[in-house]
Amino acid sequence: MNTKIKQGICGVCPGGCQVEVEIENGKISDVKPLKGARFSSLCLRGKHSKDVVYSNDRIKKPLIRSGEKGEGKFRESSWEEALDYIGKSIKDISKKYGPESVMSHTGRGVFEHSARDFLTGPTAGIFEPLGSPNMASVGSVCYNSFGVIAPMTTYGIMGARLTPDIENTNLLVVWGANPSTDSPQFTFKRVLKAKEKGTRIIAIDHYKSDIAKRADKYIPVRSGTDGALILSIIKIIIDEKLYDIDFVENYTYGFKELVDYVQEFTLDRVSKITGIEKEDIYSLAREIATANNAAIVTYTGLEYSNCGVQCIRALYILWALTGNLDVKGGLLISPKANPTIKEFKCEKPRVKPIGADKYPLFYELVGGAHFMEFPNAVLNGDPYKIKALLNIGSSILTSYPNPEKYEEALRELDFLCVVDRFMTKDALYADVVLPSTTHYEDESYVTYPGLILKRERIIEPIGEARNDLYILHEIAKRLGYGKLYPRDENELFEMAFAKAPNIIRALNENPNGFELPKPEIHYKKYQSGKLREDGKSGFDTPSGKLEIKSQLLKSYGYDGLPKYVEPIESPISTPDVHKEYPLVLNTGARIQNTFRSQHLNIPGLLKYQPNPEVMISLDEAKRRSIEDGDKVLVKTKYGEVVFYANVSSDMKNGGVEVNMGGGNPTQKKSWRLANTNKLINIDNRDPISGFPVYKALLCEVKKWKEAEK
Ligand SMILES: Nc1nc2c(c(=O)[nH]1)N[C@H]1C(S)=C(S)[C@@H](COP(=O)(O)OP(=O)(O)OC[C@H]3O[C@@H](n4cnc5c(=O)[nH]c(N)nc54)[C@H](O)[C@@H]3O)O[C@H]1N2
Ligand SMILES: Nc1nc2c(c(=O)[nH]1)N[C@H]1C(S)=C(S)[C@@H](COP(=O)(O)OP(=O)(O)OC[C@H]3O[C@@H](n4cnc5c(=O)[nH]c(N)nc54)[C@H](O)[C@@H]3O)O[C@H]1N2
Ligand code: SF4
Ligand SMILES: [Mo]
């Protein structure tokens, strides 16, 4: 037997974990974490990554639809034929209906580091040189609320520059995130180390997640009500003068209005809203304000309510008011990164993308189209018709709310191309499906904090799979602008590091990669002028201060203050609906063996959790005669889906947590039939980000037998 060991990067997701791969007769036989490496970690999916690579479900050749849309009948084709067909269709549609009628959408499948650099940088608009403004991504439902809109309207900086100083903090608050199940596990490892050193950890979540179980204190909150909790904490620190008075006087805008506004967030009222004991709210406020320093880890838990952006803004404001912004052990602001990628200039499309009218601030800060508006554009021509879609690395029909509507829209299109590793439900509606490689099958690079590494090819591509960027190059070439994307590995490095060729040299010559120069540490950069282009002290916002009251939000007609809005469907705002649907519905908390819709066809990973589950409390289950493992129906006003009961003391009464990701044809039957997004209302959104309310609706759970009657 011919066995080799190669050092590499795990190939299944963009996590970039450094691994050791055992190869027998040219095939991966085992994957282990790389001992001693700085970015080594292996999640369950990494452990089973060879099963993903060699799954029979992989798409192996380009496919052209031969049956009806949705039927699943395709014939294999050559790359040339498939690419020519795509090029011709896009050109024809663009000519007939205008370039704005062709659209691209990218998802979590193209977060591999080079793909991410090309698809979020100056070459993000795949059809932009053609004249289309319609590039969209899953950023329409993920990250941009917490990572762009909230920090930009508050601190005037992108959230990518904000990092919790986990190593130096006394108090770490994990608020609406769960690093222990998230890929990659780098943050989790840091949190565990901090805990070992004695850092106090508080977790705030709607259920007792893994990180909440490890925390020193767990605070259960009703989904979607964190905004009220944060404002009551701010009220306490103002009442007790526990805030940083000098900072408020010199560096904030709108503090007085905030003081007036928070008066309504009394302990009594907020305890009723959030379901948290008054004593717990009070001691949380005191702990955050009096800790020597406090850091925060947050992410998607706060994005999906009716006031997601404002809630995250409130949290950022709280962190600054308590003196925890850009200090040792607090929430650090890193210097602006310098992109190294080749610039690409083309005439800007004259028409605005879809969604720019409804979510103008999203358009200004994020750019591109808002994909929540896709069905409305395709089906109703609002604001105009979209006729063709290139969807790369996203499973639209399992990810977006009200999938029936998206399905109708995909059926209605004149042309759809899907690029994926596996047959998604979207792909069943495609005219052309193209196979994409895993990261074991091609060469590229990975970027970590402070380090760039070359990513070596470990095995030859499966079937005729190709790297996404080279596929894009071929499509762009047929539209007359192939130079937008690299043709091959040489061009990939040349273009990605066009502004720093020394990095290419270092990557080729040094197996330990390229260490980025360590920036000098400067705390409180708002004092020294390091946050603004003009070198003046303060923040890079319209007022030059931290905007508690955001002028940018105001100029777009939104509330300037971080106002709390009770979920528009909730026990408080819709008591009638609550009678019929007495449980607060939350969906999509991560589990380690899947990644959104992915890997629900891999037997080794399904073993960890064979069926899609709804987590329900012991009392709520008993009341409904539901036992652990029972098949149950979860019903909302918008739809009903079958899940399996996970009766657990980790869930509090009055709420449930439902897995997301089901609905794709290759998945195990129970998952395939469980598309959580059928339960979600497409029209219920955060008005600023346009994000759907995935995590604060009402539902009922019934035993399956009873439901059948
Ligand atoms: N109800 C509910 N809905 C949610 C959420 C929730 O919490 N609740 N979460 C939301 C969030 S945060 C997000 S990000 C979205 C997820 O949005 P999606 O981007 O749709 O995420 P995935 O389901 O992971 O789909 C990624 C697709 O890319 C493919 N893929 C993987 N690697 C590659 C690659 O290298 N190249 C290509 N071309 N394809 C690849 C996979 O096979 C898969 O089909 O879902 C959102 N939807
Ligand atoms: N294994 C794995 N890793 C992943 C993914 C995956 O699907 N699988 N998805 C990737 C993606 S797309 C993303 S965006 C990131 C997300 O990364 P995270 O945001 O850390 O994702 P979660 O682990 O779901 O953590 C969110 C937590 O917020 C809680 N929560 C929900 N609603 C509320 C609320 O109203 N208030 C509070 N306080 N908490 C709430 C949830 O119960 C959950 O514990 O993870 C990425 N990593
Ligand atoms: S997070 Fe898991 S699947 Fe992703 S790269 Fe790391 S080990 Fe692989
Ligand atoms: Mo996400």
Side-chain angles (χ1 to χ4, degrees), residues 108 111 138 141-143 299-300 303-304 590 595-596:
R108 288 291 320 206
F111 280 29
V138 277
V141 294
C142 176
Y143 182 76
Y299 197 169
T300 57
E303 288 190 311
Y304 305 114
R590 275 80 189 151
F595 194 103
R596 307 292 74 191

Side-chain angles (χ1 to χ4, degrees), residues 107-110 138 141-142 300 304 392-396 398-399 419-422 424 436-437 439 468 587-588 590 595-598 660 676-677 680 694-695:
R108 288 291 320 206
V110 280
V138 277
V141 294
C142 176
T300 57
Y304 305 114
I392 318 170
S394 173
S395 167
I396 295 168
T398 57
S399 296
V419 187
D420 208 295
R421 294 171 180 166
F422 290 96
T424 55
S436 176
T437 43
H439 315 321
D468 294 304
T587 66
R590 275 80 189 151
F595 194 103
R596 307 292 74 191
S597 71
Q598 299 180 59
M660 74 78 66
T676 313
N677 276 313
I680 310 291
Y694 284 134
K695 297 191 192 282

